[in-house]
Structures are given as structure tokens and as C-alpha cells.
Amino acid sequence: MGRPDPEEGQLPAPVKPPDGGWGWIVLLGCFVITGFSYAFPKAVSVYFKELMKDFHVGYSDTAWISSIMLAMLYGTGPVCSIMVNQFGCRPVMLIGGLLASAGMILASFTTNIIELYLTAGVLTGLGMALNFQPSLIMLGTYFDKRRPLANGLAAAGSPVFLSSLSPLGQVLLEKFGWRGGFLIMGGLLLNCCTCGAVMRPLDMGMKRKMGKAQDKYEAKEMLPIGEKSEEGIGTTDATKKGKKAKKKPKKGKKLLDFSIFSNRGFIIYTISKFILVLGLFVPPILLVNYAKDTGVPDTEAAFLLSIIGFIDIFARPACGMVAGLKWVRPHVAYLFSFSMLFNGLTDICSARASNYTGLVIFCVFFGISYGMVGALQFEVLMAIVGSQKFSSAIGLVLLIEAFAVLIGPPSAGRLVDALKNYEVIFYLAGSEVVLSALFLGVASYCCLNRGKKEPLPENNPSAGGGSDTEEAESDVQEAEEHSSDNHQPAHSTDNAVVMANEEANHVAEEQRGEGGGCPTGDGEVLARDGCNADQMVERDSF
């Protein structure tokens, strides 16, 4: 018998993340998407000199291409959240891959800088945004116990692709020019569609579909029995009608859940992340020019970024492994705070580095701390809001970060032009990162821990209330399995099904009459806020 579709308006029962299996393929796709999203805007900078010659513009004009890409990646977060909640992750990622590729292909035919802004900047940036956010959501869906490690491995895609796309772009520029390079890079971005195709959603409605199929099977098989069968069928029909009537108000799904702002942990995280982004990206942006001003040759100055990228590749997975330890994971917010503090102190201590050796030491420690921040930022957010609200949370966080991205690096550049002193900029950027670390650590300890110590209202089930119902339900399942194996169930099996079903209903009615709460056997099916009448009816019908 084929599986029926779930009823309209019913929320699917959550499925436990597999923590492996197809999840490793999803992790690989997220690794590629993260690499393209973060590295591509930086790798495009190798074409800037040729663009300046062809379009007769300055460096600041061409730099807007990367800025627009990053602004689209961060600023369109709520739009991505709405689309994911409405259509799902896989369709959104497929559309995003096509847009990202089309943007670079159209950019290869542009004739002025404004057309480049609209194609390579807006279109490609929007496409990468539609890939980046859903990939993180799918990663949180497939991993739970191994989620810190999965986040660390996926985040390693950024330094890996940065160290690969920049040399590749230089080779393409020398052999095919910037137009041919853009065309080939657009073809590479089609791999985002492949990554989107492997984002297979978990069958969240499997349990509810099986429950409905079992209801129909019971009604069909109990038809010849008599009064008891008619009573069983009436109970089944009543439960269906009750479920339909009470589930109809849930038909309208929230496209963007603003209730997460009532979560104190989310507010603390958002404020801390805004302060962090103000200073986090400033040192790597100014590092090469800072080294050149201290007398370092151009080739050696450019190699400093390669050192950061190489260290970053290993720091992110290693930090993910540490965050996944049993005694570390409950305190992952404090580990994130420590990584930010480490990064900020690195900036401050290296502000007076005056030789190449000092800058290399700075790059090593900065790569470690920067990798730790990159590996933990989304893991902490998932731990705070949960996987169900993560799609809305990350969209709102990225939107807030977009303002910080547009404020931090440009302001640092203006200060450099005004003061002609990089030392002050490193002190300022490091102080901002340290401030964000202290705010996250202190606020989490004072607010969240104090909230945990407050006594919760008692809403415990009565002693033994859930075990009797579970035993009755297990009898129903055993009888049904026996009848399905034989394909022609005997009257004894039918009677066992009816009696077990009546016993389950009788126990559940006694529990509701006594006000003893709800069974707690299936923690995955029950909502966090408790058990309602809909869930009790569902358990009885099962």
C-alpha cells in the first residue's frame, strides 16, 4: 500500500540527525559552497589591474566589485531565510548556483564598470548568498553530535579555495584575459548547482505518514468484526477530524521568525558579532600595505597572506574537533569568546612589528585565532537558537553584520589616509575584537547562567503515566507487524489490535482526567514547550 501524503497544515515530526551517512556528502557540498562564498570576492581582485586599464577607472572603483559581492552575501540574509522557509534549501541553492554563474558569464561581455557592478557584483553576490545560507542550514540538519567538527571542516573551505582560486585566476588572466577568465570562472560556479542537488532533505514527515497509513489499515481490517470494529473505526475517524480541526491554524508558516529576539542568548551573540566584524577583517586587508611601508619586498609581503591561509586550513578543523569534546561543547560560547580574545590580543601585540620576522609571527598567531573564530561562529549560533530557528537567525545576523562590514574596513582605510600610521589602526581593530570577546563572555555568564538557576515551573508527568501507554502502543505495533507479514490477518490478530488500541485510549483518557501530564517516551516527537492535546491524540491513534 502506497504512502499517503501528510495532511495539510501539519507540522512534520522532527527526525534525529544521522551524524553521518549522506551527511558527509552534504558536508562536502557545504565545504565547496563556503569556499566559493568567502574566497571568490577576494580572488576576483587579481583582475582589477586589467579592468582599470580597459575601463579607465581607479582602484577604488574596481574594489567596489568585491564590496558589492560581500554586501549581497551579508545583506540579503533575511531574503534567503524567507526563500528557504517557503521553498526549501535545495531549490534555493539550485537557483543561486545559476544566478552566480550567469553573473560572471554576463560580466565577461560588459563594456563599462556599472555593468560589472550589476553582473559580477549584484547577480553573482546574490547567487552565492542563496547558496551559502541554505548549505549551513542543511549541515545543521544532518549533524548533531558531530556538528562542531562538521562546522570546522566546512569552514576550512574558505582558506582552501582562497589559496586555489587566486593562482588559478592569475593563470586564466595571462592566457585568456579578464573576459575569458570571467567566463571560465562562471563555469566553475555551476558546481554550486551540483552542491545544491546533493542537499537531500531529511524525510521529516515519515512518522506522520506512517501513522496515517496505519489508521487507514486498521479501519479497513477491522471492518468485519462488529460493534468493536465500528467503535474502533469511529475512534479513528474522530481522531482524524480532531487532528484536522486543530492543525488548520498552523497552516500559515512563518517566513521569518522574529521571536528569536526574545532569546537573550541570541541578543548577546548578535551584539558581540557586530562589534567583532568591525575589527576582524581590518588586519588582513591592511597587512600587505603595512608590510610594504616597513620596507618588505612585494613578493614577500604577498606571501604573508599565504601564511595566514595555510595556518587557517588546519586551525578550523582542529578547533571543530576540540569544540566537539563532551566537556567542551556545553561551554562552546566561552571557547568562542576565548578565540576572539586571542585574535584581538594578537592584533594589539603585533601593532609595533617593524620587521619581516615579526610580521610572520603575527601571521601564524592570527591564522590560528582567525581559524578558531571561523570554525565556531555558526556552531555557537546553532547551539543558541537550535536547528528549527537557525534559518531565520542566520539571515538576521548576516544582515546586521552587513552594516559592520560596510563600516569597519572603510573607516580603517580613511584613518590610514588621515593619520598615515598603521599602528593606531591595529590597536583600534584589536580593541574592538577584545571588547566583543569580553562582552560575549561576561554577558553569557551573568545573564544566561543566572537564568538557568531560576526554578522552572513544575510540569512533570505522573508517576508511571507514560509507561502504561507505551506498553499498550507497543502491543498495537506488534499486532500490526504480525498482520502485515502474513498479508491475511486472522480474527485473533484483529481482536488483539482492537483490544490494544482500546487499552491505549483508556490509559490516555485516565491520564488526561487526572491531569498528570503527557507521556515522555518519544522525546523527538514532543515539542520543547510540553505536550498538547494534538500530540496526545496522535500518540493514541498510533
Side-chain angles (χ1 to χ4, degrees):
M1 181 171 59
R3 289 186 212 158
D5 293 334
E7 299 175 8
E8 293 184 359
Q10 290 185 355
L11 293 176
V15 177
K16 185 178 180 181
D19 276 309
W22 189 256
W24 298 117
I25 305 299
V26 173
L27 173 59
L28 179 61
C30 189
F31 176 87
V32 175
I33 294 298
T34 303
F36 275 124
S37 300
Y38 278 118
F40 199 84
K42 303 172 185 176
V44 173
S45 61
V46 300
Y47 299 99
F48 284 175
K49 287 187 177 180
E50 293 297 324
L51 295 176
M52 292 167 59
K53 293 179 182 178
D54 285 5
F55 295 143
H56 305 288
V57 294
Y59 180 81
S60 60
D61 296 322
T62 56
W64 271 104
I65 299 174
S66 297
S67 299
I68 293 174
M69 283 186 183
L70 291 174
M72 295 298 294
L73 179 65
Y74 286 96
T76 57
V79 177
C80 298
S81 297
I82 292 174
M83 294 184 66
V84 167
N85 291 333
Q86 181 67 24
F87 304 108
C89 292
R90 179 186 282 177
V92 173
M93 292 184 68
L94 292 174
I95 295 174
L98 293 175
L99 289 178
S101 176
M104 292 303 295
I105 293 174
L106 292 176
S108 64
F109 299 100
T110 55
T111 57
N112 56 67
I113 195 68
I114 300 299
E115 293 176 354
L116 270 178
Y117 293 161
L118 297 176
T119 54
V122 175
L123 200 58
T124 300
L126 177 61
M128 290 190 296
L130 293 178
N131 275 272
F132 176 62
Q133 185 171 322
S135 67
L136 293 177
I137 296 172
M138 290 301 299
L139 192 67
T141 303
Y142 272 87
F143 289 91
D144 182 22
K145 294 181 180 179
R146 297 177 178 174
R147 194 179 63 202
L149 175 61
N151 276 314
L153 292 173
S158 175
V160 170
F161 271 65
L162 181 59
S163 60
S164 303
L165 289 179
S166 296
L168 176 62
Q170 189 65 38
V171 173
L172 295 177
L173 179 62
E174 295 174 357
K175 291 188 175 181
F176 304 103
W178 70 267
R179 294 185 184 274
F182 275 21
L183 188 63
I184 296 175
M185 297 289 261
L188 289 176
L189 286 175
L190 284 174
N191 287 290
C192 295
C193 294
T194 305
C195 296
V198 303
M199 298 294 172
R200 183 176 65 194
L202 290 175
D203 194 0
M204 304 293 285
M206 179 62 70
K207 294 183 179 180
R208 195 169 296 277
K209 290 180 182 178
M210 293 178 63
K212 186 177 179 181
Q214 289 170 352
D215 290 342
K216 289 186 176 180
Y217 181 80
E218 291 173 2
K220 181 179 178 181
E221 295 298 325
M222 284 188 270
L223 186 61
I225 295 179
E227 295 181 356
K228 290 185 178 181
S229 64
E230 293 176 359
E231 183 179 353
I233 296 173
T235 304
T236 303
D237 294 337
T239 55
K240 286 184 180 180
K241 292 179 181 179
K243 287 161 67 177
K244 288 183 179 179
K246 295 183 178 181
K247 292 294 183 179
K248 281 183 179 179
K250 295 182 180 180
K251 187 174 181 179
K253 185 179 181 180
K254 292 182 179 180
L255 297 181
L256 195 61
D257 191 358
F258 289 98
S259 64
I260 54 177
F261 283 105
S262 62
N263 187 334
R264 288 181 294 180
F266 177 75
I267 297 296
I268 294 171
Y269 176 88
T270 303
I271 296 175
S272 175
K273 197 70 186 300
F274 178 83
I275 302 173
L276 170 69
V277 174
L278 288 175
L280 181 64
F281 301 120
V282 172
I285 292 176
L286 301 179
L287 178 61
V288 175
N289 290 332
Y290 177 41
K292 291 179 180 179
D293 288 352
T294 58
V296 177
D298 294 349
T299 55
E300 295 181 1
F303 184 70
L304 293 174
L305 292 178
S306 300
I307 296 175
I308 294 178
F310 181 77
I311 299 296
D312 195 5
I313 292 174
F314 298 97
R316 298 194 183 208
C319 185
M321 293 178 63
V322 173
L325 298 177
K326 293 182 179 180
W327 55 276
V328 177
R329 190 170 184 183
H331 311 288
V332 67
Y334 298 108
L335 180 61
F336 184 47
S337 177
F338 170 77
S339 65
M340 292 189 295
L341 181 64
F342 184 17
N343 185 271
L345 293 178
T346 301
D347 295 340
I348 294 174
C349 294
S350 63
R352 292 189 175 184
S354 57
N355 52 47
Y356 189 71
T357 302
L359 292 175
V360 169
I361 296 175
F362 160 74
C363 290
V364 171
F365 285 99
F366 184 86
I368 296 173
S369 59
Y370 189 78
M372 293 175 64
V373 172
L376 296 174
Q377 55 179 345
F378 297 119
E379 167 61 26
V380 174
L381 181 59
M382 289 181 186
I384 291 174
V385 301
S387 60
Q388 297 297 323
K389 295 184 178 182
F390 181 71
S391 59
S392 297
I394 188 175
L396 296 171
V397 167
L398 290 178
L399 176 62
I400 295 173
E401 287 184 19
F403 293 101
V405 169
L406 295 176
I407 294 173
S411 300
R414 291 184 179 180
L415 288 176
V416 170
D417 294 335
L419 302 176
K420 305 297 181 182
N421 187 355
Y422 287 94
E423 182 178 338
V424 176
I425 306 303
F426 274 75
Y427 279 130
L428 180 61
S431 300
E432 292 169 343
V433 177
V434 170
L435 177 62
S436 66
L438 295 178
F439 176 80
L440 177 63
V442 174
S444 298
Y445 180 80
C446 295
C447 298
L448 301 185
N449 285 0
R450 184 177 300 176
K452 291 181 181 179
K453 294 179 181 179
E454 295 177 358
L456 297 176
E458 294 184 358
N459 188 22
N460 297 327
S462 58
S467 59
D468 295 335
T469 305
E470 292 173 356
E471 291 177 0
E473 291 175 350
S474 65
D475 293 337
V476 175
Q477 294 176 357
E478 292 176 0
E480 291 173 347
E481 291 175 357
H482 179 69
S483 61
S484 62
D485 292 338
N486 294 330
H487 298 285
Q488 295 180 352
H491 289 289
S492 59
T493 304
D494 296 332
N495 293 332
V497 173
V498 173
M499 295 176 62
N501 197 14
E502 289 178 351
E503 182 182 354
N505 292 333
H506 179 67
V507 173
E509 289 176 0
E510 289 181 353
Q511 291 177 345
R512 286 195 293 269
E514 295 173 359
C518 61
T520 58
D522 295 333
E524 298 173 2
V525 180
L526 302 182
R528 293 184 179 179
D529 296 333
C531 181
N532 53 31
D534 300 339
Q535 294 164 334
M536 181 65 71
V537 172
E538 179 183 351
R539 292 178 60 85
D540 294 343
S541 64
F542 185 82

